[in-house]
Amino acid sequence: MTVREEKQAQPELDRIEAATRENHFARIPAVEMRPLLEAFGMSDWEGFAASWERLGVDLYMADGGRYRRRRYATFALAEDAIIRKKHQPHYQSRDYNALNGGIERWFEPVEREIGAHPVMHAVLSLIRRLATDLTPVARRPEAWHAEVHQFRIEARDDEAGQPTPEGLHRDGVDWVLVLMVRRENVASGETTIHDLQGNELGSFTLSSPMDAAFVNDNQVFHGVTPIQPVRPDAPAFRDVMVVTLRHQ
C-alpha cells in the first residue's frame, strides 16, 4: 500500500475499528469495502468470484445435508508476508461446533491461483491490519494463523440452505471476516450478532458483492438464517468467503 493509498484508506479503517471496539462487530457495505480492498491491491474481482463455480460438495454434514460446497486453505500472515501453509484438515471442537465438530475434516484445497490472487491477498492484508490494530501490542503475534473458507450454500424448493447449520455460534478464533461474493435467487440469509449473554446486538443481510462483516469472535456469537429460493425453477445459492484469524 502506498502512502497515498494508506491516507485514503485510513478513515474507513478507523470507522471499522471504532465500531468493533464499541460493538464487537462492524458491518462494511460494499460501497466502502471495494475502495478499501483496492487500496490493499485488489484487482480482477470477477475472475476471483468465478472460482465459486468450482467448489466441491461438503461431505461432512452430520445433518445429512448436501446443500453446502466449499474449499479451504490456511495461511501465515506476517507484517510483510502472506505465506500459504501445507494443506491440512479443518478442526473445531464440539464446544464450538456441536453439529460437525470433534473430527478432522479434509476439504478440497483453495485452488493455487486463487490462493495467490490479488483479491485473496487484499482480503488477507485487510483482516491482518484490522486484527493487529485492535490487539494490544503485548498480545500481537509475530504471525497470525488464517483459515480461509470458500462457501456456496444452495437452496431448493424442498430443502432450505443452511449457512450456519450449527446455529448461533462462535468459531473458537480471535477474529472473523465474512465477505459476500454473490447471491443468486435467494431470500433471507440474515446475519445476527449476539453478545455472550444472548442479547441481540444487530442484524443485517449481506446482499451485494463485497458487503462484509468483521467480528470479534471472543466477544460475540453470530449466525445466519436459512435461505430459500425466490423462483423454485432456477438455481438458488449464496456464495461467501469466510476468513478467521487466531494467534499462532
Side-chain angles (χ1 to χ4, degrees):
M1 183 185 296
T2 66
V3 174
R4 181 181 179 182
E5 289 169 334
E6 173 88 18
K7 186 175 181 180
Q8 291 175 333
Q10 195 60 55
E12 185 55 31
L13 291 171
D14 290 343
R15 187 198 72 78
I16 296 168
E17 291 169 11
T20 306
R21 288 189 180 97
E22 180 177 357
N23 303 314
H24 308 305
F25 78 96
R27 179 185 180 185
I28 314 168
V31 68
E32 298 172 5
M33 190 64 164
R34 178 182 286 274
L36 193 53
L37 289 176
E38 288 173 344
F40 280 90
M42 180 183 78
S43 63
D44 186 28
W45 170 264
E46 291 74 17
F48 182 74
S51 69
W52 265 255
E53 298 293 335
R54 302 188 294 274
L55 307 187
V57 176
D58 183 343
L59 300 176
Y60 290 93
M61 299 301 300
D63 62 2
R66 291 293 181 267
Y67 50 79
R68 183 157 75 180
R69 297 178 181 273
R70 69 192 296 177
R71 287 182 183 269
Y72 174 73
T74 58
F75 296 82
L77 308 184
E79 183 174 0
D80 298 314
I82 296 173
I83 301 169
R84 184 163 181 174
K85 296 184 177 184
K86 182 179 179 180
H87 192 55
Q88 57 188 267
H90 177 51
Y91 179 84
Q92 290 175 295
S93 75
R94 293 187 65 83
D95 292 335
Y96 289 103
N97 190 332
L99 178 65
N100 296 318
I103 62 170
E104 292 186 345
R105 290 179 283 166
W106 286 93
F107 301 116
E108 292 186 19
V110 170
E111 295 169 335
R112 183 176 57 83
E113 59 272 24
I114 296 302
H117 196 280
V119 177
M120 180 70 76
H121 278 210
V123 172
L124 294 176
S125 297
L126 172 59
I127 191 174
R128 181 199 168 276
R129 171 64 179 272
L130 294 171
T132 300
D133 287 354
L134 289 164
T135 301
V137 175
R139 296 184 56 240
R140 292 175 185 172
E142 290 187 8
W144 292 94
H145 174 73
E147 300 185 38
V148 172
H149 307 259
Q150 291 179 282
F151 287 113
R152 168 168 286 186
I153 305 300
E154 298 173 327
R156 298 191 301 271
D157 196 34
D158 61 346
E159 182 182 28
Q162 304 279 347
T164 55
E166 64 273 37
L168 201 62
H169 67 285
R170 291 164 60 207
D171 288 321
V173 296
D174 293 307
W175 306 98
V176 180
L177 179 70
V178 182
L179 179 69
M180 173 56 62
V181 175
R182 182 181 175 189
R183 280 172 59 103
E184 184 69 29
N185 186 37
V186 297
S188 194
E190 181 182 51
T191 297
T192 60
I193 309 291
H194 295 247
D195 66 20
L196 299 182
Q197 290 71 48
N199 303 303
E200 185 174 314
L201 300 177
S203 64
F204 49 88
T205 300
L206 303 178
S207 56
S208 299
M210 283 182 262
D211 279 351
F214 181 65
V215 176
N216 182 340
D217 193 61
N218 291 304
Q219 297 296 328
V220 295
F221 293 92
H222 64 280
V224 182
T225 58
I227 59 172
Q228 301 86 28
V230 176
R231 301 184 309 279
D233 58 340
F237 55 86
R238 178 182 187 267
D239 291 350
V240 300
M241 181 166 75
V242 176
V243 182
T244 67
L245 291 195
R246 61 175 172 81
H247 289 70
Q248 290 273 45

